[in-house]
Amino acid sequence: MSQNPSPNIIFILADDLGWADLGVYGQTDFATPHLDALAAQGVRFTQAYSNSAVCSATRFALITGRYQYHLRGGLEEPLVRTAHKYGLPPEHPTLPSLLRDAGYETALIGKWHLGSLPTFGPLKSGYQHFFGNYGGAIDYFTHKPGVGEAVPRDLYEGEVPVERVGYYTQLLANEASSWIGQRSADKPFFLSLHFTAPHWPWVGPEDEAVSRGLTDLFHYDGGNLQTYGRMVQSLDAAVGQVLQALEQQGLSENTIVVFSSDNGGERFAKTWPFTGQKTELLEGGIRVPTLLRWPARLRPQVSEQVTISMDWLPTLLAAAGVAPDPAYPPDGENILPVLEGQAPVHPRQLYWRYKAQRQRAVRDGDWKYLKINDNEFLFDVALDTLERANLKHQHPEVIERLRAQWLAWSAQFHPITDEVMTHGVTPDIQADRYAPERATRERI
C-alpha cells in the first residue's frame, strides 16, 4: 500500500499502568472515557507485553527494537545509580533517529530514563526537541527528582533546566498539544509522549499540599485507591487533550496513535485477571494495556496477536516506509500484516529475565515457563490467566524444552553478573521484593 503521504506517529507511554486500569480493560472504580474511545476507534490488544517488569529496561527495547540485554544499560533494571555510566549509546540507531533521517520531525515530551547528561540524552539519540525529565521519577508539583539525581528539579527543555508551575501530567499535555500545533507543516512528525503517571509519588491533581509536604519521593506511607484513580483519570484527560489538538489540526486520519505502558501496575493498580505486579514476571508485571489507532489503514478491531514493546520499532518503521539499520536488526516483529488482515494471528516466542529472585520467563504459544529462584512453573496462560495450575509434572517434555530455549536465548546477551545484581536496586523494588516468593509459596 502506498506510503504517500507518510503518516504522523504519536507514541504515548504510561508509567506503571496496570492491565485493568482502563475501563475498556475492566476498570469499574473510575472512568477513562478518552482512552476507551481510542480503543473503540482502533485496535485493542489482549496479549500485549512489556519487554521488562520495570521501566528503563523496557524503554531500551522500545527505542531500539531489540532485547534490552544487548546493551549494558538494559541490565540495570531499573537504571538509577549508574545512569551516568550505562545509558543508551548515542551512536546506536533508534526509532526516532531512523525516522529523523527519513525526514520526520521528532520530539520527546516526558520521561527519558535512558541515561543522564552529559553523555546520554534524547537530543543525542534522534529527538530534535525534548521537554521533560531525564530520570525515573519526578514529583508532580515540585518536579523534584528521584533517588540518585543531584539537581534541585528534574525538568528540562533540551539540555537546559527550566521551571514550570503546575501538575506534571497536565504540563506534558499542554506541551504536546502546543508542539503539535507548531510543528513544520511540510514534514511528518514522530512524537513520543511519555507520561510519568501513574508512577509514585501518590499525588493527584488537587494534592499540591501533599506534594509539597513530601520528604520521601517513594511515598511508602501515602496513596490510596481514590488518589490513584484521580491520577489515572488525569492521564486519561491529558491524552484526550492531545487527541483533540490533533483533531483541530486536521491530522487524525493519517496519524498513528499508540498507547501502552512500560510495565505492569504497582501497588494500587488493577491487574485482574492476572496476578503479580511491577518487578515480577508473572503476567500482572508484564502484560500491559495497549491501543493503536490509524483510521487511514486499520479498521477497529480486537487483536489476539501476542506482541511486545520491541515490536513497535519495526512496525512503525514499516508504516512509514523506512528500513531498519541492517547492522542492528530488530528482535521485534512488524505486526502490521496481521492487523491489516494480510497474515493470520500467529504464535510467538518471547523471553524475559529479571535479576530480583533471578526470575526467568518464556512465552511460547500458549505455554509459559516461569522460574523464580529455584522454583519452576509451567502454565497454559490462555486457560489459566491467574497462573495457579502448575503443569510441569503433567508436561515434563514441555518444561524441559522451554528451559533449554531460555538458556540458549540468554547466552546471546550480557550476563547478569554479581556486579549487576548490586546496582540499580531502588526502595520500591526492595519493598515488594518478597511478592514473587509469596506467590511461589502459595503454589507449592
Side-chain angles (χ1 to χ4, degrees):
M1 188 174 294
S2 171
Q3 297 296 317
N4 233 345
S6 299
N8 302 304
I9 303 168
I10 301 178
F11 196 99
I12 306 173
L13 194 65
D15 199 342
D16 294 0
L17 187 70
W19 167 259
D21 277 337
L22 306 183
V24 72
Y25 281 96
Q27 181 59 260
T28 56
D29 295 330
F30 53 83
T32 54
H34 301 289
L35 286 163
D36 291 353
L38 182 67
Q41 296 159 3
V43 183
R44 177 169 65 88
F45 291 89
T46 63
Q47 300 195 78
Y49 287 93
S50 58
N51 260 77
S52 177
V54 287
C55 173
S56 53
T58 290
R59 292 164 197 264
F60 274 101
L62 174 64
I63 202 170
T64 65
R66 292 155 61 85
Y67 278 112
Q68 59 271 27
Y69 316 109
H70 286 288
L71 295 169
R72 176 64 177 78
L75 304 185
E76 288 303 304
E77 300 188 342
L79 192 69
V80 180
R81 296 180 181 89
T82 57
H84 65 287
K85 185 177 180 182
Y86 301 119
L88 177 63
E91 66 274 12
H92 195 297
T94 64
L95 178 56
S97 73
L98 292 166
L99 289 172
R100 177 203 61 197
D101 293 347
Y104 273 70
E105 191 171 357
T106 61
L108 169 61
I109 295 174
K111 180 172 174 176
W112 166 246
H113 207 198
L114 291 173
S116 59
L117 294 171
T119 307
F120 311 106
L123 299 186
K124 305 176 192 301
S125 290
Y127 291 109
Q128 297 161 312
H129 172 79
F130 171 64
F131 174 85
N133 58 304
Y134 277 86
I138 182 174
D139 182 84
Y140 286 88
F141 283 100
T142 67
H143 312 137
K144 293 178 180 178
V147 169
E149 300 288 347
V151 294
R153 69 187 60 81
D154 186 7
L155 190 59
Y156 288 77
E157 188 164 356
E159 298 182 354
V160 179
V162 294
E163 292 190 43
R164 295 286 190 276
V165 175
Y167 189 68
Y168 193 46
T169 303
Q170 187 60 53
L171 290 180
L172 295 180
N174 293 346
E175 187 76 15
S177 301
S178 175
W179 188 84
I180 289 171
Q182 297 172 6
R183 88 229 178 276
S184 301
D186 59 343
K187 286 185 174 183
F189 67 81
F190 172 60
L191 169 62
S192 294
L193 177 54
H194 293 183
F195 290 98
T196 59
H199 193 289
W200 47 257
W202 314 112
V203 175
E206 294 85 32
D207 297 334
E208 184 169 0
V210 174
S211 174
R212 296 193 180 279
L214 288 177
T215 57
D216 184 352
L217 202 62
F218 291 105
H219 211 181
Y220 282 136
D221 58 350
N224 50 57
L225 290 174
Q226 290 72 32
T227 298
Y228 183 78
R230 291 194 296 271
M231 295 172 73
V232 177
Q233 286 182 299
S234 177
L235 169 66
D236 178 73
V239 172
Q241 177 181 325
V242 173
L243 296 180
Q244 180 61 30
L246 194 67
E247 184 71 27
Q248 290 171 348
Q249 295 292 319
L251 299 172
S252 295
E253 183 71 13
N254 196 35
T255 297
I256 300 170
V257 178
V258 181
F259 177 88
S260 190
S261 180
D262 58 353
N263 46 251
E266 245 259 32
R267 65 196 74 177
F268 297 116
K270 185 174 182 179
T271 59
W272 184 264
F274 308 119
T275 52
Q277 62 175 26
K278 178 182 179 180
T279 76
E280 300 173 359
L281 297 185
L282 292 157
E283 292 291 286
I286 53 176
R287 190 91 70 107
V288 288
T290 300
L291 310 172
L292 166 64
R293 187 186 75 180
W294 188 11
R297 282 183 61 172
L298 297 178
R299 61 175 178 80
Q301 59 190 279
V302 176
S303 177
E304 300 292 330
Q305 177 60 56
V306 173
T307 187
I308 192 169
S309 310
M310 63 186 178
D311 289 344
W312 291 113
L313 180 143
T315 298
L316 295 175
L317 288 183
V322 178
D325 188 315
Y328 297 83
D331 295 319
E333 180 178 297
N334 171 20
I335 60 171
L336 265 185
V338 174
L339 302 180
E340 292 184 313
Q342 300 173 9
V345 172
H346 58 280
R348 299 286 298 278
Q349 291 181 348
L350 301 176
Y351 300 86
W352 295 264
R353 64 187 191 188
Y354 186 65
K355 64 184 179 182
Q357 290 80 50
R358 299 188 181 274
Q359 297 174 73
R360 305 174 179 182
V362 180
R363 170 82 193 252
D364 188 345
D366 290 336
W367 289 116
K368 181 176 176 182
Y369 166 71
L370 177 66
K371 185 176 183 182
I372 303 173
N373 286 327
D374 295 325
N375 301 293
E376 290 186 306
F377 307 91
L378 180 67
F379 302 115
D380 182 334
V381 290
L383 298 177
D384 178 22
T385 57
L386 283 172
E387 295 174 282
R388 295 299 190 194
N390 189 0
L391 304 178
K392 68 177 182 179
H393 297 303
Q394 291 94 319
H395 300 278
E397 75 290 351
V398 176
I399 199 167
E400 289 176 10
R401 173 172 60 83
L402 297 184
R403 183 191 302 121
Q405 285 179 202
W406 187 93
L407 290 169
W409 165 82
S410 184
Q412 305 173 66
F413 305 108
H414 287 285
I416 297 181
T417 62
D418 290 341
E419 186 253 346
V420 173
M421 292 290 289
T422 58
H423 284 84
V425 179
T426 56
D428 62 324
I429 294 177
Q430 295 283 12
D432 298 321
R433 65 182 300 177
Y434 298 111
E437 295 178 7
R438 288 195 300 272
T440 299
R441 289 197 295 270
E442 289 176 9
R443 303 186 188 104
I444 292 176

